[in-house]
Amino acid sequence: LSSAEDYAAHYQPGHFWTELLTGDHVSSDVALVDGVPQWWRHARGIASGDGTFDYWEVHADPVPALEDACGRWCRDKLAGYSGMVNLETIGGRIIEVHLRFADQWPDLYGGDPWVEALVRLYEKGEWRFDDRARRTGYSVVLFVKHGPRYRHPPRALQESIRGAPGLSSLQVTFHEDLAPGRHAMPPGGFRVAIVNCWNLEAG
């Protein structure tokens, strides 16, 4: 809606107003100690429609302006909290905050050493992780049509995919023993797998 007249013409009971944000949609994972950021990673999703994504690019580079603004918010609102937080932003403005991290790409964050640092953060309230080897990775998402009851790929096929050059991990993201409707999925598709990789073409 671009004007007061436009608003008046389209308003219906039950509607509410919110500012339309524009700009990059970034998902950021942050390690906090007493609300103070210790580590950041940022990912940008390449949307494919109706809540689905083609892939996510997990950036190696920092985003100083975003880290500065969101860091101030964390220090103000999350003082006393030590753990992970996930911040969703559009155009640098926070739209969602979750007291968790994006669990689909710890291998792209640093694998076992990163997971060990994560455990230490929750166990001892301290963050120690050597992040000098970070590099950009990709998380390719496979969506299929809603409706059918899908089966997991044969284990041999899964292992051959995991061993392919340029790939980091394969995650099968649904339960065979649950009805399709019992899975939380976007309207645009049923997510069956995620391939994490260092080379987008390979993924």
Side-chain angles (χ1 to χ4, degrees), residues 19-25 90-93:
E19 182 180 353
L20 176 64
L21 300 179
T22 58
D24 284 340
H25 184 168
I90 295 179
R93 302 265 300 274

Side-chain angles (χ1 to χ4, degrees), residues 58-88:
V58 182
H59 299 282
D61 295 332
V63 185
L66 185 64
E67 293 173 15
D68 183 54
C70 291
R72 286 195 305 271
W73 188 92
C74 289
R75 286 189 290 274
D76 181 47
K77 306 296 184 189
L78 296 176
Y81 172 71
S82 294
M84 298 298 298
V85 65
N86 174 264
L87 303 167
E88 299 285 333

Side-chain angles (χ1 to χ4, degrees), residues 34-189:
D34 195 18
V36 178
Q38 308 293 313
W39 174 90
W40 297 83
R41 281 303 287 267
H42 309 284
R44 184 173 58 93
I46 308 304
S48 51
D50 291 327
T52 64
F53 291 90
D54 186 22
Y55 66 91
W56 288 85
E57 184 174 358
V58 182
H59 299 282
D61 295 332
V63 185
L66 185 64
E67 293 173 15
D68 183 54
C70 291
R72 286 195 305 271
W73 188 92
C74 289
R75 286 189 290 274
D76 181 47
K77 306 296 184 189
L78 296 176
Y81 172 71
S82 294
M84 298 298 298
V85 65
N86 174 264
L87 303 167
E88 299 285 333
T89 58
I90 295 179
R93 302 265 300 274
I94 297 173
I95 61 167
E96 294 179 31
V97 178
H98 309 273
L99 298 182
R100 60 158 176 78
F101 60 95
D103 64 356
Q104 75 189 53
W105 43 63
D107 56 309
L108 300 180
Y109 285 167
D112 289 343
W114 187 86
V115 173
E116 290 168 7
L118 174 73
V119 171
R120 186 181 301 110
L121 175 63
Y122 283 96
E123 183 181 24
K124 298 183 178 178
E126 59 186 44
W127 180 258
R128 289 197 315 237
F129 177 62
D130 183 354
D131 204 23
R132 289 175 293 183
R134 71 161 57 190
R135 55 183 171 152
T136 296
Y138 304 90
S139 190
V140 181
V141 191
L142 178 60
F143 282 97
V144 293
K145 291 181 180 179
H146 283 288
R149 190 160 192 154
Y150 295 100
R151 292 173 28 211
H152 290 181
R155 186 155 302 280
L157 176 59
Q158 292 185 47
E159 292 307 315
S160 70
I161 292 170
R162 287 187 177 102
L167 268 56
S168 175
S169 67
L170 167 68
Q171 303 165 38
V172 178
T173 57
F174 69 99
H175 299 278
E176 284 184 313
D177 56 345
L178 283 182
R182 299 273 316 276
H183 295 79
M185 297 290 176

